[in-house]
C-alpha cells in the first residue's frame, strides 16, 4: 500500500488496496463515552458510526453504477477493492449498533430517515456524475478525518476496542483515498462538477454529523454541561484545531490541481496502524485476499 509519486513525478496507479475484515470483538462492556473524559469526541464518532453503513452503501451503489463507464483496467480493480473495503466498514460499524441499543440511544429512526430521504432520493433523482462527485468529496473528508485523528493520536487514550475499530477504518480511508476522485476524473472531470459535489457534500455531512452528535449528547444529558463545551472548543479550536484544519482540507479539495495522494506522511501513518493491528495475537484485522 504505497499510493506514491513515482520517479517521474507521476502517480503510481498500480498500487493494490487490501480488503480486510475487522476481526476483533466489540463487547457490551465498552463504556458509552469510550474516549475517557471526552464525551464530545465519543459522541461525534458514535454519530459517525451510525451514519457509516448507509453512507458507505451509497458509495458502493454509486461506484457499481459507474463501473460500466470505466475503460481503465487498473482503475476498475481499485474500484473493486474500494467496494470490498467499504462493505467491511459498514459491517463492522453496524456491529457496534448493538452496544448503542443496549445503552438506550434512540437513533434508528433518524438513521432510516437519512437513508430514505438523502441517499435513496439521490439514487433515484440525481444524475450519476453528481453522485460520483458527492462520493469523491466525502471520501476526501473521510481521508482527512482519518489523517487528523491518526497524526494527532486523538484516540490514544480511548477504549482499545473502539480505538481499533476507528483507527482501522481511518487507516483504510487513507489507503483508498484516491479511488473515488480518480473515478470522478474518469467519468466527469469538469471542475464545476467537483465544485457542486463539494458544496453539497460538505453541507450535508456537517449538518448530519452536528445534528446527530447533538442528539446523542442531549440523550446523555451532557449537551448543556460546561465540560462538554470545553471539550468541543478543544477539539474544534485550541487543541486539535479541527475547525481550521477542516477548512484547509476542504479548500485544498477545491484547488484545480488537487489530488488526494498529496497528503504528507499519510501512507506511513495508515500502514503503521494496519501492520500493528494485523500482527497482534489475535489480530484485530485480517486480510481477505487480493484480486488475482
Ligand atoms: Fe469507509
Ligand atoms: Fe472510504
Amino acid at each position: 500500500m504505497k499510493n506514491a509519486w513515482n520517479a517521474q513525478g507521476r502517480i503510481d496507479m498500480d498500487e493494490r488496496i487490501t480488503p480486510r475484515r475487522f476481526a476483533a470483538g466489540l463487547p457490551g462492556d465498552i463504556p458509552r463515552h469510550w474516549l475517557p473524559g471526552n464525551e464530545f469526541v465519543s459522541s461525534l464518532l458514535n454519530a459517525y458510526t451510525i451514519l457509516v453503513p448507509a453512507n458507505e452503501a451509497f458509495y458502493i451503489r454509486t461506484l457499481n453504477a459507474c463501473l460500466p463507464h470505466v475503460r481503465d483496467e487498473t482503475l476498475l480493480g481499485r474500484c473493486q477493492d474500494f467496494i470490498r473495503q467499504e462493505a467491511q466498514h459498514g459491517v463492522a460499524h453496524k456491529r457496534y449498533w448493538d452496544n448503542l441499543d443496549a445503552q438506550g440511544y434512540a437513533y434508528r429512526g433518524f438513521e432510516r430517515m437519512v437513508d430514505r430521504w438523502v441517499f435513496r432520493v439521490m439514487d433515484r433523482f440525481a444524475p450519476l456524475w453528481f453522485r460520483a462527485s458527492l462520493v469523491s468529496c466525502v471520501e476526501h473528508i473521510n481521508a482527512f478525518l482519518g489523517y487528523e485523528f491518526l497524526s494527532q493520536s486523538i484516540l490514544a487514550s480511548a477504549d482499545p476496542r473502539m480505538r481499533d475499530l476507528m483507527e482501522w477504518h481511518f487507516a483504510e480511508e487513507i489507503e483508498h483515498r484516491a479511488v473515488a476522485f480518480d473515478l470522478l476524473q474518469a467519468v466527469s472531470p469538469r471542475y464545476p462538477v467537483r465544485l457542486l459535489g463539494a458544496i453539497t457534500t460538505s453541507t450535508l455531512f456537517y449538518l448530519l454529523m452536528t445534528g446527530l452528535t447533538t442528539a446523542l449528547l442531549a440523550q446523555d444529558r451532557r449537551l448543556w454541561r460546561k465540560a462538554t463545551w470545553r471539550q468541543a472548543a478543544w477539539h474544534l479550536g485550541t487543541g486539535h484545531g479541527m475547525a481550521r484544519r477542516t477548512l484547509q482540507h476542504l479548500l485544498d479539495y477545491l484547488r484545480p490541481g488537487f489530488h488526494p495522494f498529496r497528503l504528507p506522511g499519510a501512507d506511513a501513518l495508515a500502514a503503521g496502524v494496519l501492520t500493528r493491528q494485523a500482527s497482534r495475537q489475535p489480530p484485530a484485522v485480517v486480510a481477505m485476499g487480493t484480486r488475482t
Side-chain angles (χ1 to χ4, degrees), residues 210-227:
T210 305
L212 191 49
T213 304
T214 304
L216 296 177
L217 285 167
Q219 290 179 43
D220 284 334
R221 300 186 188 285
R222 301 290 177 112
L223 184 57
W224 299 114
R225 289 195 182 187
K226 268 191 193 156

Side-chain angles (χ1 to χ4, degrees), residues 237-267:
T238 48
H240 304 140
M242 285 301 280
R244 178 178 53 80
R245 290 169 190 270
T246 295
L247 190 63
Q248 276 171 352
H249 286 297
L250 289 174
L251 289 175
D252 199 29
Y253 184 78
L254 296 180
R255 279 190 305 104
F258 167 84
H259 192 279
F261 280 163
R262 293 195 188 94
L263 198 54
D267 292 312

Side-chain angles (χ1 to χ4, degrees), residues 59 82 86 139 142 173 176:
Y59 312 164
F82 171 102
E86 295 295 18
E139 280 295 287
N142 284 329
E173 290 302 329
H176 70 223

